[in-house]
Amino acid sequence: MKVFLQVSVKILTGLLISYSAFSQDVFSLIKEKAKKYNIDPLLFYYLIEQESSFRNCLTSPKGARGLGQLMPATARRYGLKVNSEIDERCIPEKNLDASARYLRDLLIMFQGNIPLALAGYNAGENAVIKYGNIPPYRETRNYVKKIIQKYAKQYKINTTSKNIQTENKEKQQQIKKQTISLVFQ
């Protein structure tokens, strides 16, 4: 019994260490890609957390895959190879690059409206355009609400510190207005 427990602890410790190293790489990539595409790293972080819980090659029942849960057509639109031989959606750097570009493009498309951009990421931009708002899909509404709540809470915490930045105050107000007008309708 002691031998089994020692082996189990070593295996678990090894898994935790490798997961921790992987996590640091993913978090660094999230920050790097957010900076590259001029999107808020916190917003991107919460999106990736909601999409995959940082599981690299997670595949959804609908076929979305990778950290940013990209559908095959979206991945191809952003230059990733998705075919029977190779699926670049499971390469963290490529997936996060495409995911950040997609989020940036949605933010531009919806004129900086974060809830609409998140809804577009989850349900597709055409669904947001069709409804002119967050689509009436329970999954999408919950998705947007969860991310916005975490994101707004983080900025609220930041703005109570002694080093308040005007940009954070403005973002907090923008998020609050968008949340009230869209998520909770």
Side-chain angles (χ1 to χ4, degrees), residues 87-139:
D87 190 341
E88 292 183 332
R89 293 178 295 168
C90 288
I91 301 171
E93 184 166 1
K94 291 186 180 222
N95 185 291
L96 290 173
D97 190 81
S99 298
R101 284 174 43 211
Y102 184 38
L103 179 59
R104 180 214 47 205
D105 290 350
L106 290 168
L107 286 164
I108 291 168
M109 178 182 289
F110 297 114
Q111 301 172 345
N113 188 306
I114 295 168
L116 289 183
L118 292 172
Y121 195 98
N122 180 262
E125 61 268 24
N126 290 329
V128 176
I129 292 166
K130 176 182 175 182
Y131 291 101
N133 203 334
I134 297 173
Y137 314 144
R138 183 178 305 173
E139 176 192 335

Side-chain angles (χ1 to χ4, degrees), residues 42-53 55 114-115 118-119 122 134 137-155 175 178-179 182-184:
L42 277 175
L43 179 62
F44 192 44
Y45 170 88
Y46 289 128
L47 179 140
I48 297 301
E49 178 184 51
Q50 186 65 35
E51 286 289 342
S52 66
S53 299
R55 289 176 285 177
I114 295 168
L118 292 172
N122 180 262
I134 297 173
Y137 314 144
R138 183 178 305 173
E139 176 192 335
T140 301
R141 288 185 175 264
N142 288 337
Y143 173 90
V144 172
K145 185 177 179 179
K146 285 177 184 178
I147 295 173
I148 289 294
Q149 284 177 338
K150 290 176 189 177
Y151 186 58
K153 182 179 178 183
Q154 185 63 42
Y155 273 102
I175 293 164
Q178 291 174 0
T179 303
L182 292 170
V183 178
F184 301 110

Side-chain angles (χ1 to χ4, degrees), residues 11-185:
I11 290 171
L12 287 173
T13 306
L15 289 174
L16 291 173
I17 289 169
S18 66
Y19 177 76
S20 176
F22 173 76
S23 297
Q24 287 302 321
D25 290 342
V26 168
F27 300 143
S28 296
L29 282 171
I30 287 170
K31 188 175 178 182
E32 173 190 318
K33 300 305 178 183
K35 184 177 178 181
K36 179 178 178 181
Y37 295 107
N38 198 28
I39 56 176
D40 190 323
L42 277 175
L43 179 62
F44 192 44
Y45 170 88
Y46 289 128
L47 179 140
I48 297 301
E49 178 184 51
Q50 186 65 35
E51 286 289 342
S52 66
S53 299
F54 309 108
R55 289 176 285 177
N56 180 42
C57 210
L58 181 70
T59 304
S60 79
K62 293 182 181 179
R65 197 163 197 202
L67 289 163
Q69 288 292 282
L70 297 171
M71 293 296 287
T74 305
R76 285 187 198 99
R77 183 185 340 164
Y78 288 95
L80 273 63
K81 294 178 185 167
V82 180
N83 56 48
S84 59
E85 296 170 17
I86 189 165
D87 190 341
E88 292 183 332
R89 293 178 295 168
C90 288
I91 301 171
E93 184 166 1
K94 291 186 180 222
N95 185 291
L96 290 173
D97 190 81
S99 298
R101 284 174 43 211
Y102 184 38
L103 179 59
R104 180 214 47 205
D105 290 350
L106 290 168
L107 286 164
I108 291 168
M109 178 182 289
F110 297 114
Q111 301 172 345
N113 188 306
I114 295 168
L116 289 183
L118 292 172
Y121 195 98
N122 180 262
E125 61 268 24
N126 290 329
V128 176
I129 292 166
K130 176 182 175 182
Y131 291 101
N133 203 334
I134 297 173
Y137 314 144
R138 183 178 305 173
E139 176 192 335
T140 301
R141 288 185 175 264
N142 288 337
Y143 173 90
V144 172
K145 185 177 179 179
K146 285 177 184 178
I147 295 173
I148 289 294
Q149 284 177 338
K150 290 176 189 177
Y151 186 58
K153 182 179 178 183
Q154 185 63 42
Y155 273 102
K156 185 176 183 181
I157 291 167
N158 286 346
T159 58
T160 59
S161 70
K162 291 181 181 177
N163 299 323
I164 295 173
Q165 295 180 1
T166 307
E167 181 181 308
N168 285 350
K169 281 184 180 179
E170 290 170 3
K171 270 190 183 166
Q172 184 184 15
Q173 290 302 319
Q174 178 187 18
I175 293 164
K176 187 176 180 181
K177 285 178 187 173
Q178 291 174 0
T179 303
I180 291 167
S181 66
L182 292 170
V183 178
F184 301 110
Q185 284 184 350

